[in-house]
Amino acid sequence: MTENTTALSHAPADVVRRQYLASATGDLSALRATLAPDVEWTEMAGFPLAGTYRSPGVVTASVMEKLAAEWDNWTAHDDTYVVDGENVAVLARYTAINQATGKHLNVRVVHHFIVRGGLIVRFEQFVDTAKVLEAMSP
C-alpha cells in the first residue's frame, strides 16, 4: 500500500520526522513538501552556511544542495524529540566526511522547529561550529 499525502499526520513531531527522513534519503522534493511557503530557516552564526533562508526552494538550494556538494554522507541523525505544542526541539548529531579535507565530522546539534498547519514555518540550528570548521580545515 502506498502512502497517501492526505493521510499524513500533521502532528508537529511527525512533520519534523518526515523532514529528517527526506533529508537522509536526499529526497529534496519531499523535504520541500514539509516546509511552509514562507518558511524561515536559520543556520547558526559561525556555521559555514550561516544565515536565514526563506522559501522551500531557497532552503534546499542554499543549504541541502551545498552540504551535499561539500560533504560526503552528510546526515542529521534525529535522536530525541521534545514537543511543546507547535514547538519541536530535536537533539541530534551530524555525521559526514568533508570532501576537501577527508576529515570526519561527528558533532551534537539541537534543532528547533515551529510547525503550524502541518508545515514547518521556522527552523533554527544550534551546533558547535568550531567542530564543523575543524573538519573543514586542512
Side-chain angles (χ1 to χ4, degrees):
M1 175 191 245
T2 61
E3 197 171 71
N4 183 332
T5 55
T6 59
L8 294 177
S9 168
H10 287 113
D14 293 338
V15 173
V16 169
R17 179 70 180 140
R18 281 197 300 276
Q19 179 273 153
Y20 280 106
L21 290 170
S23 179
T25 61
D27 187 345
L28 298 184
S29 177
L31 193 148
R32 285 189 292 273
T34 67
L35 305 177
D38 59 348
V39 65
E40 288 186 10
W41 187 279
T42 302
E43 298 288 319
M44 187 171 174
F47 189 72
L49 303 174
T52 298
Y53 305 92
R54 292 173 175 83
S55 92
V58 170
V59 168
T60 54
S62 300
V63 179
M64 288 71 182
E65 289 179 19
K66 287 188 178 181
L67 289 171
E70 297 173 10
W71 298 84
D72 288 328
N73 303 314
W74 180 276
T75 306
H77 306 270
D78 51 328
D79 300 328
T80 303
Y81 284 64
V82 180
V83 181
D84 181 18
E86 65 186 14
N87 290 282
V88 180
V90 181
L91 307 175
R93 178 173 302 281
Y94 290 153
T95 60
I97 301 168
N98 185 267
Q99 292 177 3
T101 66
K103 291 183 181 179
H104 291 259
L105 175 69
N106 187 338
V107 64
R108 293 296 287 163
V109 61
V110 175
H111 292 156
H112 174 235
F113 297 86
I114 297 177
V115 180
R116 290 189 190 124
L119 295 172
I120 296 166
V121 297
R122 189 166 299 139
F123 165 87
E124 188 173 7
Q125 170 203 57
F126 301 90
V127 63
D128 184 346
T129 57
K131 295 243 185 231
V132 178
L133 296 175
E134 181 182 308
M136 297 175 74
S137 299

mmCIF file with all atom_site columns, all heavy atoms in Angstrom, residues 89-101:
data_model
loop_
_atom_site.group_PDB
_atom_site.id
_atom_site.type_symbol
_atom_site.label_atom_id
_atom_site.label_alt_id
_atom_site.label_comp_id
_atom_site.label_asym_id
_atom_site.label_entity_id
_atom_site.label_seq_id
_atom_site.pdbx_PDB_ins_code
_atom_site.Cartn_x
_atom_site.Cartn_y
_atom_site.Cartn_z
_atom_site.occupancy
_atom_site.B_iso_or_equiv
_atom_site.pdbx_formal_charge
_atom_site.auth_seq_id
_atom_site.auth_comp_id
_atom_site.auth_asym_id
_atom_site.auth_atom_id
_atom_site.pdbx_PDB_model_num
ATOM 1  N N   . ALA A 1 89  ? 11.770 20.544 19.553 1.00 0.00 ? 89  ALA A N   1
ATOM 2  C CA  . ALA A 1 89  ? 13.228 20.593 19.682 1.00 0.00 ? 89  ALA A CA  1
ATOM 3  C C   . ALA A 1 89  ? 13.748 19.180 19.473 1.00 0.00 ? 89  ALA A C   1
ATOM 4  O O   . ALA A 1 89  ? 13.203 18.224 20.031 1.00 0.00 ? 89  ALA A O   1
ATOM 5  C CB  . ALA A 1 89  ? 13.639 21.120 21.044 1.00 0.00 ? 89  ALA A CB  1
ATOM 6  N N   . VAL A 1 90  ? 14.775 19.057 18.657 1.00 0.00 ? 90  VAL A N   1
ATOM 7  C CA  . VAL A 1 90  ? 15.330 17.737 18.344 1.00 0.00 ? 90  VAL A CA  1
ATOM 8  C C   . VAL A 1 90  ? 16.807 17.731 18.723 1.00 0.00 ? 90  VAL A C   1
ATOM 9  O O   . VAL A 1 90  ? 17.585 18.569 18.250 1.00 0.00 ? 90  VAL A O   1
ATOM 10 C CB  . VAL A 1 90  ? 15.157 17.388 16.859 1.00 0.00 ? 90  VAL A CB  1
ATOM 11 C CG1 . VAL A 1 90  ? 15.728 16.006 16.562 1.00 0.00 ? 90  VAL A CG1 1
ATOM 12 C CG2 . VAL A 1 90  ? 13.690 17.462 16.453 1.00 0.00 ? 90  VAL A CG2 1
ATOM 13 N N   . LEU A 1 91  ? 17.163 16.792 19.597 1.00 0.00 ? 91  LEU A N   1
ATOM 14 C CA  . LEU A 1 91  ? 18.567 16.539 19.905 1.00 0.00 ? 91  LEU A CA  1
ATOM 15 C C   . LEU A 1 91  ? 19.055 15.584 18.828 1.00 0.00 ? 91  LEU A C   1
ATOM 16 O O   . LEU A 1 91  ? 18.459 14.525 18.609 1.00 0.00 ? 91  LEU A O   1
ATOM 17 C CB  . LEU A 1 91  ? 18.713 15.925 21.287 1.00 0.00 ? 91  LEU A CB  1
ATOM 18 C CG  . LEU A 1 91  ? 18.037 16.686 22.426 1.00 0.00 ? 91  LEU A CG  1
ATOM 19 C CD1 . LEU A 1 91  ? 18.162 15.908 23.725 1.00 0.00 ? 91  LEU A CD1 1
ATOM 20 C CD2 . LEU A 1 91  ? 18.608 18.069 22.563 1.00 0.00 ? 91  LEU A CD2 1
ATOM 21 N N   . ALA A 1 92  ? 20.116 15.971 18.161 1.00 0.00 ? 92  ALA A N   1
ATOM 22 C CA  . ALA A 1 92  ? 20.555 15.204 17.001 1.00 0.00 ? 92  ALA A CA  1
ATOM 23 C C   . ALA A 1 92  ? 22.081 15.178 16.931 1.00 0.00 ? 92  ALA A C   1
ATOM 24 O O   . ALA A 1 92  ? 22.765 15.662 17.829 1.00 0.00 ? 92  ALA A O   1
ATOM 25 C CB  . ALA A 1 92  ? 19.957 15.823 15.732 1.00 0.00 ? 92  ALA A CB  1
ATOM 26 N N   . ARG A 1 93  ? 22.574 14.603 15.854 1.00 0.00 ? 93  ARG A N   1
ATOM 27 C CA  . ARG A 1 93  ? 24.012 14.514 15.609 1.00 0.00 ? 93  ARG A CA  1
ATOM 28 C C   . ARG A 1 93  ? 24.224 14.626 14.102 1.00 0.00 ? 93  ARG A C   1
ATOM 29 O O   . ARG A 1 93  ? 23.507 14.006 13.325 1.00 0.00 ? 93  ARG A O   1
ATOM 30 C CB  . ARG A 1 93  ? 24.531 13.171 16.113 1.00 0.00 ? 93  ARG A CB  1
ATOM 31 C CG  . ARG A 1 93  ? 26.009 12.928 15.875 1.00 0.00 ? 93  ARG A CG  1
ATOM 32 C CD  . ARG A 1 93  ? 26.485 11.650 16.544 1.00 0.00 ? 93  ARG A CD  1
ATOM 33 N NE  . ARG A 1 93  ? 26.256 11.625 17.963 1.00 0.00 ? 93  ARG A NE  1
ATOM 34 C CZ  . ARG A 1 93  ? 27.011 12.239 18.885 1.00 0.00 ? 93  ARG A CZ  1
ATOM 35 N NH1 . ARG A 1 93  ? 28.052 12.939 18.506 1.00 0.00 ? 93  ARG A NH1 1
ATOM 36 N NH2 . ARG A 1 93  ? 26.728 12.148 20.160 1.00 0.00 ? 93  ARG A NH2 1
ATOM 37 N N   . TYR A 1 94  ? 25.201 15.442 13.708 1.00 0.00 ? 94  TYR A N   1
ATOM 38 C CA  . TYR A 1 94  ? 25.622 15.490 12.313 1.00 0.00 ? 94  TYR A CA  1
ATOM 39 C C   . TYR A 1 94  ? 26.800 14.548 12.144 1.00 0.00 ? 94  TYR A C   1
ATOM 40 O O   . TYR A 1 94  ? 27.729 14.572 12.950 1.00 0.00 ? 94  TYR A O   1
ATOM 41 C CB  . TYR A 1 94  ? 26.115 16.879 11.911 1.00 0.00 ? 94  TYR A CB  1
ATOM 42 C CG  . TYR A 1 94  ? 25.087 17.972 11.805 1.00 0.00 ? 94  TYR A CG  1
ATOM 43 C CD1 . TYR A 1 94  ? 25.461 19.292 12.006 1.00 0.00 ? 94  TYR A CD1 1
ATOM 44 C CD2 . TYR A 1 94  ? 23.771 17.720 11.467 1.00 0.00 ? 94  TYR A CD2 1
ATOM 45 C CE1 . TYR A 1 94  ? 24.567 20.330 11.899 1.00 0.00 ? 94  TYR A CE1 1
ATOM 46 C CE2 . TYR A 1 94  ? 22.857 18.754 11.365 1.00 0.00 ? 94  TYR A CE2 1
ATOM 47 C CZ  . TYR A 1 94  ? 23.256 20.061 11.571 1.00 0.00 ? 94  TYR A CZ  1
ATOM 48 O OH  . TYR A 1 94  ? 22.363 21.085 11.467 1.00 0.00 ? 94  TYR A OH  1
ATOM 49 N N   . THR A 1 95  ? 26.774 13.753 11.091 1.00 0.00 ? 95  THR A N   1
ATOM 50 C CA  . THR A 1 95  ? 27.941 12.973 10.691 1.00 0.00 ? 95  THR A CA  1
ATOM 51 C C   . THR A 1 95  ? 28.154 13.210 9.197  1.00 0.00 ? 95  THR A C   1
ATOM 52 O O   . THR A 1 95  ? 27.195 13.369 8.441  1.00 0.00 ? 95  THR A O   1
ATOM 53 C CB  . THR A 1 95  ? 27.783 11.469 10.967 1.00 0.00 ? 95  THR A CB  1
ATOM 54 O OG1 . THR A 1 95  ? 26.663 10.973 10.244 1.00 0.00 ? 95  THR A OG1 1
ATOM 55 C CG2 . THR A 1 95  ? 27.627 11.186 12.458 1.00 0.00 ? 95  THR A CG2 1
ATOM 56 N N   . ALA A 1 96  ? 29.434 13.266 8.823  1.00 0.00 ? 96  ALA A N   1
ATOM 57 C CA  . ALA A 1 96  ? 29.773 13.483 7.421  1.00 0.00 ? 96  ALA A CA  1
ATOM 58 C C   . ALA A 1 96  ? 31.284 13.384 7.260  1.00 0.00 ? 96  ALA A C   1
ATOM 59 O O   . ALA A 1 96  ? 32.021 13.316 8.245  1.00 0.00 ? 96  ALA A O   1
ATOM 60 C CB  . ALA A 1 96  ? 29.291 14.855 6.962  1.00 0.00 ? 96  ALA A CB  1
ATOM 61 N N   . ILE A 1 97  ? 31.727 13.410 6.006  1.00 0.00 ? 97  ILE A N   1
ATOM 62 C CA  . ILE A 1 97  ? 33.145 13.477 5.678  1.00 0.00 ? 97  ILE A CA  1
ATOM 63 C C   . ILE A 1 97  ? 33.322 14.666 4.743  1.00 0.00 ? 97  ILE A C   1
ATOM 64 O O   . ILE A 1 97  ? 32.660 14.747 3.697  1.00 0.00 ? 97  ILE A O   1
ATOM 65 C CB  . ILE A 1 97  ? 33.634 12.186 4.995  1.00 0.00 ? 97  ILE A CB  1
ATOM 66 C CG1 . ILE A 1 97  ? 33.404 10.980 5.908  1.00 0.00 ? 97  ILE A CG1 1
ATOM 67 C CG2 . ILE A 1 97  ? 35.111 12.314 4.617  1.00 0.00 ? 97  ILE A CG2 1
ATOM 68 C CD1 . ILE A 1 97  ? 33.578 9.644  5.216  1.00 0.00 ? 97  ILE A CD1 1
ATOM 69 N N   . ASN A 1 98  ? 34.188 15.587 5.135  1.00 0.00 ? 98  ASN A N   1
ATOM 70 C CA  . ASN A 1 98  ? 34.427 16.750 4.293  1.00 0.00 ? 98  ASN A CA  1
ATOM 71 C C   . ASN A 1 98  ? 35.188 16.326 3.039  1.00 0.00 ? 98  ASN A C   1
ATOM 72 O O   . ASN A 1 98  ? 36.227 15.664 3.127  1.00 0.00 ? 98  ASN A O   1
ATOM 73 C CB  . ASN A 1 98  ? 35.204 17.826 5.059  1.00 0.00 ? 98  ASN A CB  1
ATOM 74 C CG  . ASN A 1 98  ? 35.346 19.084 4.238  1.00 0.00 ? 98  ASN A CG  1
ATOM 75 O OD1 . ASN A 1 98  ? 36.329 19.269 3.545  1.00 0.00 ? 98  ASN A OD1 1
ATOM 76 N ND2 . ASN A 1 98  ? 34.330 19.930 4.292  1.00 0.00 ? 98  ASN A ND2 1
ATOM 77 N N   . GLN A 1 99  ? 34.687 16.695 1.876  1.00 0.00 ? 99  GLN A N   1
ATOM 78 C CA  . GLN A 1 99  ? 35.300 16.275 0.613  1.00 0.00 ? 99  GLN A CA  1
ATOM 79 C C   . GLN A 1 99  ? 36.675 16.889 0.409  1.00 0.00 ? 99  GLN A C   1
ATOM 80 O O   . GLN A 1 99  ? 37.562 16.245 -0.142 1.00 0.00 ? 99  GLN A O   1
ATOM 81 C CB  . GLN A 1 99  ? 34.383 16.630 -0.558 1.00 0.00 ? 99  GLN A CB  1
ATOM 82 C CG  . GLN A 1 99  ? 33.111 15.827 -0.573 1.00 0.00 ? 99  GLN A CG  1
ATOM 83 C CD  . GLN A 1 99  ? 32.176 16.233 -1.694 1.00 0.00 ? 99  GLN A CD  1
ATOM 84 O OE1 . GLN A 1 99  ? 32.482 17.093 -2.516 1.00 0.00 ? 99  GLN A OE1 1
ATOM 85 N NE2 . GLN A 1 99  ? 31.011 15.607 -1.736 1.00 0.00 ? 99  GLN A NE2 1
ATOM 86 N N   . ALA A 1 100 ? 36.877 18.126 0.858  1.00 0.00 ? 100 ALA A N   1
ATOM 87 C CA  . ALA A 1 100 ? 38.154 18.801 0.625  1.00 0.00 ? 100 ALA A CA  1
ATOM 88 C C   . ALA A 1 100 ? 39.265 18.281 1.523  1.00 0.00 ? 100 ALA A C   1
ATOM 89 O O   . ALA A 1 100 ? 40.417 18.194 1.102  1.00 0.00 ? 100 ALA A O   1
ATOM 90 C CB  . ALA A 1 100 ? 37.992 20.304 0.822  1.00 0.00 ? 100 ALA A CB  1
ATOM 91 N N   . THR A 1 101 ? 38.918 17.903 2.784  1.00 0.00 ? 101 THR A N   1
ATOM 92 C CA  . THR A 1 101 ? 39.955 17.504 3.742  1.00 0.00 ? 101 THR A CA  1
ATOM 93 C C   . THR A 1 101 ? 39.980 16.018 4.029  1.00 0.00 ? 101 THR A C   1
ATOM 94 O O   . THR A 1 101 ? 40.967 15.505 4.552  1.00 0.00 ? 101 THR A O   1
ATOM 95 C CB  . THR A 1 101 ? 39.760 18.233 5.084  1.00 0.00 ? 101 THR A CB  1
ATOM 96 O OG1 . THR A 1 101 ? 38.538 17.785 5.690  1.00 0.00 ? 101 THR A OG1 1
ATOM 97 C CG2 . THR A 1 101 ? 39.748 19.742 4.904  1.00 0.00 ? 101 THR A CG2 1
#
